[in-house]
Amino acid sequence: MSTPGGLVVSTRARFGFEAAGGTTDDARVRDIPQALLPLYADQLFTAWEQGATEQQLQQIAADGLA
């Protein structure tokens, strides 16, 4: 079960533009820790306990991150 504060998910995303390597506009990967609301944390744990697939769990996490 999740806590009243939810669940923290860590993900990675690429931010930036297509540019010459080493320039300030060059895209970079960033780590993004984001708290999921308790509603999504509960859905995630419930789905996991019921044997959801990895893709189903990823979709729940994605919905929570959106």
Side-chain angles (χ1 to χ4, degrees):
M1 201 60 139
S2 63
T3 66
L7 175 75
V8 175
V9 174
S10 182
T11 189
R12 292 180 145 199
R14 182 175 299 276
F15 292 96
F17 302 96
E18 291 297 320
T23 66
T24 58
D25 289 335
D26 192 26
R28 296 180 186 101
V29 174
R30 301 281 189 234
D31 290 319
I32 304 169
Q34 179 68 42
L36 292 181
L37 295 174
L39 168 70
Y40 292 103
D42 286 339
Q43 287 178 13
L44 196 59
F45 281 114
T46 299
W48 178 72
E49 289 171 347
Q50 294 175 352
T53 65
E54 183 71 22
Q55 185 176 10
Q56 291 169 319
L57 297 173
Q58 287 176 2
Q59 185 59 56
I60 295 168
D63 292 343
L65 293 172

